[in-house]
């Protein structure tokens, strides 16, 4: 059987790839793996299940819950709650398993199923493979009193909100903010948290109807947020995605503040207070060189990983680091969360603004983003990016750029494609270097 788990659970077209039958089977398989492990403390294992606002989440939630309960797991239904909220409650409640039904920033027709281990951390690859191996197997079904119970957990939003506000030691009272909820899982809890922290909040895209999640809104479409910040004269604007595990911002002039800049602000705040473990922040190789340079000037080391939040998390755990993330706005503050949390990121950026008395624009200026050009070269052998002539061409161009630029060749994980990324002092210089290298890749690696 081919692997169905990707880098972030199982994801695809709802009722096409992600069917009710698959959801039931995944629930059963996950429950059987959990029961077989014997690691639970109660009479039966306990799972929590939450979802975003997609209409398909309703039937998928019922299907996953049915699979879990039929295999002898007690289930607490959290209903609509951001992914980081499910992760938090998995740990806070002491649940043996967490399940998130969401496709994050994907369009509404998609959905996904993601499992969390005890403590609210991502399931490791070995457990995912074991769950896959049990899909469709014959099994002995529990009966009578051994069947799991299903119970609504009514306080999920309030408990998660209380946790988030409790992470602050300096409340950003008096700031005026626009929050784009992406018509997603944070439509209720996002504004609740910011208001509880003393922030004056104008909300947009906070009326989910099951069909409008991420539709021309949220962290992938900042135009509406930009217009609302200017209209209301807000100090800042923050845009979440559908499951609120990422966040991007705009300053009071409407300029975009990306994940690199937000991470820089948070890193400086922790560094100045002696709470940035090992004076290091974890980022992927796609973080802008301007971020790396800004951190270096501040005496902060940047530990870079492959692209993907799972690699950031792995590096943070292995190195004992407290802050990491991606340019996309998926930021992990491990003192307070086990996954990226958009509301948490926004809260702590606002805290930094209030603590320093500086505007978001001023704080973002610690990172001077270098112009970045990305050229996709299709129809090539993505396994041969170590070709000697390609490597030599990259070395020549990097030598010309010196410390003022950066080159990265990234093979696609799924297509015959190589991505050539170049950062340089000017857009024209970046484009020229990228085009020259793309020509070399095209000539040397053509299929």
């Amino acid at each position: 059987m081919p692997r169905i788990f990707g880098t972030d659970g199982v994801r695809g077209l709802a009722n096409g790839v992600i069917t009710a039958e698959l959801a039931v089977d995944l629930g059963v398989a996950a429950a059987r793996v959990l029961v077989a492990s014997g690691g639970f403390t109660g009479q039966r294992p306990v799972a929590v299940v939450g979802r975003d606002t997609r209409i398909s989440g309703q039937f998928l939630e019922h299907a996953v819950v049915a699979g879990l309960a039929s295999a002898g797991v007690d289930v607490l239904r959290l209903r609509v709650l951001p992914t980081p909220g499910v992760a938090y409650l998995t740990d806070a409640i002491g649940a043996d398993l967490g399940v998130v039904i969401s496709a994050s920033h994907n369009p509404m027709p998609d959905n996904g199923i993601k499992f969390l281990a005890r403590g609210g951390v991502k399931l490791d690859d070995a457990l995912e493979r074991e769950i896959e191996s049990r899909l469709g197997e014959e099994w002995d079904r529990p009966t009578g009193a051994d069947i799991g119970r299903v119970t609504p957990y009514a306080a999920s939003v309030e408990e998660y909100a209380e946790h988030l506000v409790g992470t602050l030691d300096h409340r950003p009272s008096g700031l005026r903010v626009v929050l784009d909820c992406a018509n997603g899982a944070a439509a209720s809890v996002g504004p609740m948290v910011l208001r509880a922290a003393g922030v004056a909040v104008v909300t947009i895209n906070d009326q989910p109807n099951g069909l409008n999640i991420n539709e021309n809104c949220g962290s992938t479409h900042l135009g509406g947020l930009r217009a609302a910040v200017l209209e209301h004269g807000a100090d800042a604007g923050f845009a979440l995605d559908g499951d609120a595990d990422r966040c991007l911002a705009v300053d009071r002039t409407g300029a975009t503040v990306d994940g690199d800049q937000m991470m820089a602000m948070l890193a400086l705040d922790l560094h100045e207070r002696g709470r940035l473990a090992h004076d290091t922040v974890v980022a992927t190789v796609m973080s802008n060189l301007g971020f790396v340079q800004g951190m270096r000037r501040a005496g902060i080391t940047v530990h870079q990983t492959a692209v993907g939040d799972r690699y950031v998390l792995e590096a943070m755990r292995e190195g004992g680091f407290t802050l990491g993330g991606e340019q996309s706005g998926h930021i992990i503050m491990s003192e307070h969360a086990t996954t990226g949390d958009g509301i948490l990121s926004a809260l702590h950026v606002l805290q930094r603004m209030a603590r320093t008395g500086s505007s978001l624009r001023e704080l973002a200026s610690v990172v001077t983003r270098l112009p970045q050009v990305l050229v996709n070269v299709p129809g090539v052998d993505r396994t041969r990016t170590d070709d000697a002539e390609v490597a030599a061409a990259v070395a020549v161009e990097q030598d010309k750029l010196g410390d003022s630029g950066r080159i990265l060749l990234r093979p696609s994980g799924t297509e015959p494609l190589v991505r050539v990324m170049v950062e340089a002092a000017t857009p024209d210089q970046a484009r020229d270097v990228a085009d020259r290298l793309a020509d070399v890749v095209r000539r040397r690696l053509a299929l």
Side-chain angles (χ1 to χ4, degrees):
M1 174 189 291
R3 287 214 67 182
I4 65 169
F5 282 91
T7 57
D8 202 24
V10 183
R11 192 178 295 186
L13 180 65
N15 225 23
V17 176
I18 310 299
T19 63
E21 294 85 351
L22 176 61
V24 171
D25 285 349
L26 282 168
V28 168
R32 292 179 61 215
V33 169
L34 184 59
V35 170
S37 73
F40 51 95
T41 56
Q43 182 180 357
R44 286 178 298 275
V46 175
V48 296
V49 179
R51 61 179 173 88
D52 69 23
T53 56
R54 292 163 216 267
I55 192 71
S56 59
Q58 297 179 10
F59 80 78
L60 290 172
E61 177 192 9
H62 285 286
V64 168
V65 169
L68 290 167
S70 72
V73 174
D74 288 344
V75 181
L76 300 175
R77 293 178 60 207
L78 307 180
R79 308 293 179 89
V80 173
L81 195 68
T83 291
V86 178
Y88 167 71
L89 286 172
T90 301
D91 183 34
I93 292 171
D96 303 291
L97 183 71
V99 186
V100 181
I101 299 165
S102 173
S104 190
H105 57 281
N106 282 30
M108 179 277 294
D110 289 348
N111 217 324
I113 300 169
K114 176 166 60 177
F115 294 102
L116 301 167
R118 176 181 280 276
V121 298
K122 285 193 173 186
L123 221 56
D124 64 36
D125 289 345
L127 284 174
E128 286 184 347
R129 284 193 293 271
E130 190 172 353
I131 290 171
E132 285 184 351
S133 72
R134 298 199 173 203
L135 290 173
E137 276 187 350
E138 291 294 323
W139 59 294
D140 294 327
R141 300 169 184 269
T143 58
D146 293 331
I147 293 172
R149 280 68 165 160
V150 180
T151 309
Y153 193 83
S156 60
V157 169
E158 290 76 14
E159 289 185 14
Y160 173 51
E162 183 178 353
H163 158 67
L164 290 176
V165 176
T167 66
L168 297 174
D169 53 34
H170 186 112
R171 295 203 176 190
S173 302
L175 290 173
R176 185 172 178 82
V177 167
V178 177
L179 181 66
D180 184 343
C181 301
N183 290 313
S188 172
V189 71
M192 178 190 299
V193 168
L194 294 185
R195 288 179 180 130
V199 177
V201 184
V202 175
T203 56
I204 61 173
N205 301 307
D206 60 341
Q207 300 295 319
N209 60 16
L211 306 176
N212 58 3
I213 186 172
N214 296 323
E215 185 178 13
N216 297 318
C217 61
S219 62
T220 54
H221 299 87
L222 296 178
L225 177 64
R226 187 171 291 114
V229 166
L230 295 174
E231 177 188 350
H232 294 281
D235 296 297
F238 295 93
L240 307 170
D241 67 339
D243 70 335
D245 68 349
R246 65 173 67 185
C247 175
L248 293 179
V250 300
D251 66 26
R252 63 188 178 196
T253 72
T256 300
V257 177
D258 68 12
D260 284 344
Q261 292 167 304
M262 293 176 68
M263 272 197 296
M265 297 174 210
L266 298 174
L268 285 171
D269 190 62
L270 291 170
H271 179 63
E272 290 168 7
R273 294 185 289 133
R275 291 171 59 182
L276 183 65
H278 310 297
D279 293 322
T280 297
V281 60
V282 180
T284 76
V285 292
M286 288 304 291
S287 276
N288 194 278
L289 180 58
F291 167 74
V292 178
Q293 293 171 337
M295 293 295 90
R296 186 182 299 142
R297 287 191 297 270
I300 296 171
T301 299
V302 178
H303 178 95
Q304 291 188 285
T305 73
V307 176
D309 66 282
R310 71 182 302 135
Y311 302 112
V312 174
L313 273 166
E314 285 172 6
M316 290 178 69
R317 290 193 196 115
E318 290 171 4
F321 304 125
T322 49
L323 180 66
E326 299 181 276
Q327 196 177 56
S328 63
H330 191 280
I331 298 173
I332 305 156
M333 303 182 72
S334 64
E335 277 189 284
H336 310 300
T338 58
T339 185
D341 190 324
I343 305 172
L344 181 69
S345 299
L347 264 186
H348 282 258
V349 167
L350 290 168
Q351 176 177 252
R352 175 71 174 170
M353 291 170 65
R355 197 196 307 277
T356 62
S358 301
S359 70
L360 184 60
R361 186 176 185 84
E362 291 167 335
L363 293 175
S365 67
V366 68
V367 175
T368 302
R369 287 181 292 190
L370 273 68
Q372 188 179 87
V373 170
L374 181 66
V375 177
N376 290 327
V377 186
V380 295
D381 185 349
R382 60 189 171 90
T383 67
R384 294 179 49 235
T385 52
D386 59 351
D387 174 83
E389 189 170 327
V390 172
V394 170
V396 168
E397 297 291 354
Q398 184 63 67
D399 188 57
K400 291 177 184 175
L401 291 172
D403 292 337
S404 65
R406 185 171 68 110
I407 298 167
L408 179 66
L409 263 61
R410 285 182 58 228
S412 167
T414 57
E415 304 173 77
L417 182 79
V418 171
R419 296 181 173 89
V420 180
M421 190 276 285
V422 178
E423 292 168 344
T426 68
D428 288 344
Q429 184 184 23
R431 170 58 65 181
D432 289 345
V433 173
D435 286 343
R436 285 197 295 272
L437 289 176
D439 286 342
V440 176
V441 170
R442 200 173 287 114
R443 174 169 52 83
R444 291 291 299 174
L445 307 186
L447 291 172

